[in-house]
């Protein structure tokens, strides 16, 4: 099974209208096909493309592309072409994403986060002040149906298709969260199995997600948040949802680390964090490393290798550091966690990450769609690629529906226990 | 994202204050002196005590835009700030001794070695080429965008050689290439200056394109002002950079 297309920074898909194309649209689409093909040929860090016969791919797919009747078909063929590379961070972003009249109207949220645990869609957190909270949803509730459709068949198909892939958990999560999301102001009709085993059907308004809307180039905009708090026992916790909006997130991270300088330990929660600006990982790691010339890893472009060098910050924090990850932690999250693990600076808790860590850029195609492509391979400081492998936690801890229903987070609990054990040493 | 803004901005300030020496056969020295002559001459450059450049920049094809402001004063002081949409500020400079950088992405750091040398070398407005490069060589001829050019290799006291191409007909700099060294590695970069316009008797490039790895950055200069009243602390080290510098002094 070749690796599927992966959109590490998107958690939604926009359906393209199935309408026939004008001659001008056809021309622009064809230009887009050629641009994608040529860019991969000329910019992929491996001139051999891992052995893929790229001219043969063009010869096979361009005639089909020329005959495509709709934009959706065109996109599907382009995605097929990129899929032949068998790597993440090669994707096509529907141009609709950049052209919404009301930016952000498509990413309405009920405030529910979810994961697939033991084959079931389960609510893992409910945001304060959200429509989900107001409706009475609790962590641990199982999601049975969304919009009147059973979730189980889709989850089974995905689980089977991705059974050997490191991205399995990520794709399963997206299958649930993308169905929960929708146009702001619309209603999400969800059937749950609550903690008492009762079926509950609720309608929740999709509202503007928490955080500040931020964008970078042609990366589709996202709402960005960072939170920090002290846990019982003098342990700091920092969580943020994406490596974006550095002006605010880096400042918030700095403020949090400085406020935790007297803490017995710091936990950085990157569960569900799909990545973002790679350079932020170097800046954040700098708060925990005193020595110069330490690196998280190296990216290998076609032209030259580039080291992800940590920039030591003052005042640096030298106490126990735990990084929490799961199968939805991807890209820059993996670079950060994997690098700190390889440097022996952090202990990693949770489950294996997505294995989708290739530095990439976004461009616009002539037809208005976005095109993401990887520009480099990435090898963590320990000498191993993260792509296709992920970061293996030092301590594997899984969420369970039972724990969530009890209001517990076993991953945080394990990290806190470890920090307390370090204090006793 | 971590590209050397120093090298890109340095191309905008490139010149020299040496007088042209009449030569029948082109030499590296005569070509560089000619560049000074055709872009204003020694006297015009000597009048400049400080300079402020403002412009906009774009990562071509990536949808990333920003602004750039550069301050330079003799003998070796500079401060530059780039603001990139979605990233924030990237600042760098030198007070003549400490070369530094500070960004929203990675915080403050002090530059050493070749990085530091490049910042100091490029710090003054229109630094004289004889002060920058103890060794200059004519490396032959080349064609750049259809123009016949002299190709020169310039070697600084510290750092890697740069290659520059000067239009044989106009004497203007049309391209330069160098290896930009920073903690991330050594990045081959090309710069193409153009759109020369007069400012206070000097002919200055108002457009520079930088190509490095998969990125093309276009800088369009919107204004250049000379001998401006600058705040006394314009080139002072930011507090967090100063703290880093102090820490280094401690045994």
């Amino acid at each position: 099974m070749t690796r599927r297309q992966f959109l590490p920074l998107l958690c939604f898909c926009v359906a393209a209208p199935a309408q026939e194309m004008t001659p001008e649209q056809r021309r622009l689409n064809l230009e887009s096909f050629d641009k994608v093909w040529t860019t991969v040929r000329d910019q992929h860090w491996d001139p051999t493309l891992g052995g893929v016969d790229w001219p043969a791919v063009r010869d096979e797919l361009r005639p089909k592309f020329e005959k495509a009747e709709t934009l959706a078909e065109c996109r599907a063929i382009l995605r097929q072409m990129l899929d032949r590379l068998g790597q993440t961070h090669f994707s096509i972003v529907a141009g609709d994403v950049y052209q919404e009249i009301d930016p952000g109207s498509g990413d309405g949220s009920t405030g529910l986060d979810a994961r697939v645990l033991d084959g079931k869609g389960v609510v893992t957190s409910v945001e304060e002040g959200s429509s989900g909270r107001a409706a009475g949803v609790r962590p641990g509730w199982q999601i049975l149906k969304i919009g009147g459709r059973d979730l189980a068949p889709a989850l089974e198909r995905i689980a089977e298709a991705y059974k050997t892939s490191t991205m399995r958990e990520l794709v399963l999560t997206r299958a649930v969260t993308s169905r929960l999301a929708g146009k702001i102001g619309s209603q999400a009709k969800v059937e749950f199995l609550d903690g008492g085993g009762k079926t509950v059907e609720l309608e929740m308004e999709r509202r503007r997600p928490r955080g500040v809307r931020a964008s970078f180039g042609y990366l589709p905009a996202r709402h960005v948040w960072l939170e920090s708090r002290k846990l019982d026992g003098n342990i700091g916790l920092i969580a943020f949802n994406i490596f974006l909006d550095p002006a605010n997130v880096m400042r918030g991270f700095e403020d949090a680390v400085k406020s935790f300088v007297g803490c017995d330990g710091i936990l950085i929660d990157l569960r569900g964090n799909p990545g973002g600006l790679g350079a932020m990982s170097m800046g954040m790691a700098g708060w925990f490393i005193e020595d110069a010339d330490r690196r998280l890893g190296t990216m290998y472009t076609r032209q030259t290798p580039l080291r992800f060098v940590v920039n030591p910050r003052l005042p640096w924090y030298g106490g126990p550091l735990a990084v929490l990850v799961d199968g939805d932690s991807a890209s820059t999250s993996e670079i950060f966690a994997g690098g700190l693990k390889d440097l022996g600076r952090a202990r990693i808790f949770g489950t294996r990450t997505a294995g989708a860590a290739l530095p990439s850029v976004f461009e616009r195609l002539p037809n208005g769609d976005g095109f993401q492509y990887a520009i480099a391979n990435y090898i963590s400081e320990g000498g191993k690629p993260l792509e296709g492998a992920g970061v293996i936690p030092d301590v594997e801890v899984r969420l369970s529906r039972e724990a969530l229903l009890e209001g517990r987070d076993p991953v945080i609990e394990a990290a806190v226990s470890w920090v307390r054990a370090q204090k006793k040493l | 994202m971590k590209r050397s803004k120093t090298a890109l901005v340095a191309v905008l300030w490139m010149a020299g204050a040496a007088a042209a020496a009449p030569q029948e056969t082109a030499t590296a020295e005569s070509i560089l002196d000619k560049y000074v002559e055709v872009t204003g001459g020694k006297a015009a450059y000597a009048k400049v005590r400080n300079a402020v450049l403002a412009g906009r920049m774009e990562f071509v094809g990536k949808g990333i835009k920003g602004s750039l402001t550069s301050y330079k004063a003799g003998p070796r002081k500079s401060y530059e700030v780039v603001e990139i949409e979605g990233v924030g500020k990237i600042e760098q400079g030198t007070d003549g001794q400490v070369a530094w950088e500070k960004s929203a992405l990675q915080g403050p750091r002090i530059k050493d070695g070749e990085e530091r040398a490049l910042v100091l070398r490029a710090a003054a407005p229109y630094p004289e080429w004889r002060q920058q490069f103890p060794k200059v060589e004519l490396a032959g001829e080349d064609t750049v965008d259809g123009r016949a050019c002299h190709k020169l290799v310039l070697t600084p006291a510290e750092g890697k050689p740069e290659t520059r191409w000067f239009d044989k007909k106009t004497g203007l700099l049309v391209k330069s290439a160098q290896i930009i060294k920073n903690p991330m590695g050594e990045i081959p970069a090309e710069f193409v200056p153009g759109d020369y316009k007069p400012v206070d008797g000097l002919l200055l490039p108002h457009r520079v394109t930088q190509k490095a790895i998969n990125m093309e950055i276009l800088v369009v200069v919107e204004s250049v002002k000379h001998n401006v009243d600058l705040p006394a602390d314009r080139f002072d080290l930011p507090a967090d950079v100063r703290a880093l510098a102090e820490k280094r002094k401690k045994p």
Side-chain angles (χ1 to χ4, degrees):
Chain A
M1 168 69 64
T2 57
R3 293 176 69 76
R4 292 289 188 88
Q5 287 303 317
F6 170 56
L7 303 174
L9 297 167
L10 289 180
C11 60
F12 59 92
C13 293
V14 178
Q19 58 205 55
E20 282 193 23
M21 297 179 286
T22 64
E24 176 66 1
Q25 284 172 325
R26 287 183 178 279
R27 184 185 69 77
L28 291 172
N29 282 335
L30 214 45
E31 274 185 32
S32 302
F33 180 100
D34 292 336
K35 184 171 168 65
V36 169
W37 186 87
T38 306
T39 300
V40 171
R41 180 196 65 187
D42 296 341
Q43 305 283 355
H44 196 290
W45 71 87
D46 175 7
T48 71
L49 304 184
V52 174
D53 186 346
W54 202 233
V57 170
R58 179 187 57 191
D59 292 344
E60 176 196 341
L61 294 178
R62 201 174 191 276
K64 291 182 184 173
F65 192 89
E66 287 170 352
K67 291 178 186 163
E69 294 294 328
T70 67
L71 190 51
E73 284 178 50
C74 288
R75 286 180 186 142
I77 295 170
L78 281 177
R79 287 173 177 142
Q80 254 185 68
M81 178 163 71
L82 294 173
D83 204 35
R84 302 295 175 90
L85 298 168
Q87 290 158 336
T88 67
H89 291 74
F90 288 89
S91 66
I92 301 297
V93 178
D96 314 50
V97 169
Y98 303 106
Q99 291 157 13
E100 289 169 340
I101 294 169
D102 176 15
S105 63
D107 53 359
S109 169
T110 57
L112 307 184
D113 197 9
R115 296 289 187 274
V116 176
L117 307 176
D118 298 320
K120 302 180 180 67
V122 176
V123 176
T124 51
S125 67
V126 184
E127 283 171 22
E128 288 289 338
S130 66
S131 60
R133 174 72 69 159
V137 181
R138 293 290 176 266
W141 283 21
Q142 183 182 341
I143 301 168
L144 300 174
K145 292 182 183 178
I146 302 174
R149 296 181 67 174
D150 277 325
L151 197 52
L155 297 183
E156 281 169 22
R157 280 194 301 273
I158 291 168
E160 177 60 27
Y162 282 81
K163 63 183 173 189
T164 60
S165 170
T166 55
M167 293 199 299
R168 182 170 171 271
E169 204 174 311
L170 176 70
V171 180
L172 284 168
T173 299
R174 294 288 183 264
V176 180
T177 55
S178 64
R179 286 167 169 78
L180 288 172
K183 200 170 166 58
I184 291 175
S186 65
Q187 297 291 316
K189 187 173 153 186
V190 184
E191 186 177 296
F192 298 94
L193 190 69
D194 72 6
K198 197 173 79 178
T199 301
V200 178
E201 190 172 289
L202 296 171
E203 276 203 24
M204 296 161 285
E205 185 192 11
R206 294 182 175 105
R207 298 174 182 169
R208 201 162 293 278
R210 70 165 163 159
V212 175
R213 188 174 169 82
S215 63
F216 176 67
Y218 293 132
L219 188 70
R222 288 285 299 269
H223 281 80
V224 184
W225 54 262
L226 178 145
E227 64 181 19
S228 63
R229 58 189 167 97
K230 263 196 197 168
L231 303 174
D232 288 341
N234 195 34
I235 297 171
L237 172 68
I238 305 171
F240 58 101
N241 68 322
I242 190 169
F243 285 81
L244 205 59
D245 190 17
N248 287 311
V249 171
M250 295 303 288
R251 186 168 52 238
F253 194 89
E254 174 177 345
D255 291 345
V257 173
K258 285 179 174 175
S259 74
F260 295 153
V261 75
C263 282
D264 297 331
I266 294 179
L267 277 50
I268 300 175
D269 192 347
L270 297 180
R271 290 177 292 176
N273 188 318
L277 295 176
M280 290 173 68
S281 64
M282 294 184 262
M284 286 182 176
W287 291 106
F288 308 105
I289 303 251
E290 189 182 27
D291 302 324
D293 297 326
R294 307 302 296 279
R295 54 186 171 182
L296 298 176
T298 303
M299 64 184 257
Y300 292 88
T301 71
R302 193 182 278 202
Q303 294 84 359
T304 188
L306 294 173
R307 299 182 290 266
F308 271 51
V309 177
V310 176
N311 183 37
R313 309 292 301 272
L314 292 175
W316 73 291
Y317 178 81
L321 176 67
V323 179
L324 315 186
V325 297
D326 66 5
D328 291 60
S329 306
S331 202
T332 302
S333 294
E334 301 181 272
I335 288 171
F336 182 80
L340 286 175
K341 177 184 173 179
D342 289 342
L343 289 172
R345 183 60 190 94
R347 196 155 176 86
I348 314 300
F349 293 80
T351 54
R352 183 168 67 166
T353 62
L358 296 178
S360 67
V361 295
F362 279 80
E363 292 182 357
R364 295 293 290 276
L365 295 173
N367 67 358
D369 282 353
F371 171 37
Q372 179 189 22
Y373 60 95
I375 58 167
N377 196 10
Y378 182 85
I379 307 294
S380 193
E381 183 61 0
K384 293 184 179 163
L386 295 176
E387 178 77 1
V391 177
I392 311 290
D394 296 298
V395 181
E396 182 171 301
V397 188
R398 295 184 175 274
L399 293 179
S400 70
R401 186 168 180 247
E402 293 68 35
L404 289 165
L405 286 169
E406 292 170 6
R408 294 170 41 233
D409 184 330
V411 186
I412 288 184
E413 288 171 358
V416 166
S417 294
W418 172 75
V419 168
R420 286 183 180 146
Q422 304 314 298
K423 191 179 175 186
K424 289 173 187 165
L425 291 173
Chain B
M1 186 49 56
K2 201 174 155 68
R3 304 280 181 261
S4 173
K5 300 299 182 289
T6 306
L8 174 59
V9 178
V11 174
L12 294 164
W13 293 112
M14 221 174 283
Q23 300 259 350
E24 289 188 359
T25 307
T27 63
E29 291 81 357
S30 70
I31 293 163
L32 290 165
D33 287 340
K34 183 180 177 186
Y35 177 72
V36 173
E37 181 189 332
V38 300
T39 55
K42 181 183 175 183
Y45 281 110
K47 289 178 186 172
V48 178
R49 290 180 288 103
N50 67 46
V52 181
L53 177 155
R56 52 187 166 82
M57 61 193 304
E58 178 187 343
F59 287 71
V60 179
K62 303 295 187 289
I64 303 166
K65 294 184 181 176
S67 65
L68 159 71
T69 308
S70 174
Y71 303 82
K72 291 186 184 270
R76 293 191 312 179
K77 294 188 179 181
S78 69
Y79 171 70
E80 286 146 16
V81 55
V82 170
E83 294 205 53
I84 299 175
E85 295 172 354
V87 171
K89 264 191 204 176
I90 302 172
E91 301 169 86
Q92 64 175 3
T94 179
D95 60 358
Q97 289 298 321
V98 176
W100 59 273
E101 181 181 271
K102 177 177 169 179
S103 75
L105 289 165
Q106 298 193 27
R109 70 180 184 93
I110 290 177
K111 297 186 175 185
D112 296 307
E114 288 181 36
E115 253 203 312
R116 175 179 179 271
L118 176 59
V119 173
L120 291 172
R121 197 159 68 235
Y126 317 118
E128 187 179 334
W129 67 261
R130 283 182 172 81
Q131 291 174 350
Q132 290 185 302
F133 303 104
K135 182 179 173 189
V136 297
E137 301 162 277
L138 181 58
E141 298 180 352
D142 208 347
T143 304
V144 176
D145 289 333
R147 289 175 284 190
C149 294
H150 294 295
K151 181 178 171 183
L152 272 60
V153 176
L154 293 73
T155 305
E158 183 177 2
K160 297 191 173 9
E162 298 179 19
T163 305
R164 294 186 187 177
W165 288 260
F166 293 87
D167 189 317
K168 287 173 89 171
K169 199 171 166 185
T170 65
L172 293 174
L173 177 70
V174 296
K175 182 174 149 183
S176 70
Q178 63 184 120
I179 305 288
I180 300 169
K181 188 171 178 181
N182 64 31
M184 289 190 77
E186 298 186 352
I187 304 165
E190 267 184 18
F191 305 88
V192 178
D195 194 21
Y196 283 83
K197 292 180 185 171
V199 180
D200 298 334
L202 299 175
L203 202 59
L204 303 173
H206 278 62
R207 187 182 178 93
V208 178
T209 302
Q210 173 188 336
K211 291 182 185 176
I213 308 182
N214 304 80
M215 294 284 182
E216 182 176 328
I217 303 173
L218 171 64
V219 173
V220 175
V221 177
E222 293 172 328
S223 74
V224 181
K225 294 178 183 170
H226 297 133
N227 303 330
V228 176
D229 278 331
L230 294 174
D233 60 354
R234 175 78 282 167
F235 303 105
D236 286 359
L237 303 182
D240 43 12
V241 173
R242 196 166 50 245
L244 286 177
E246 291 298 320
K247 183 173 186 268
R248 283 179 162 213
K249 288 178 189 171
K250 292 177 185 170

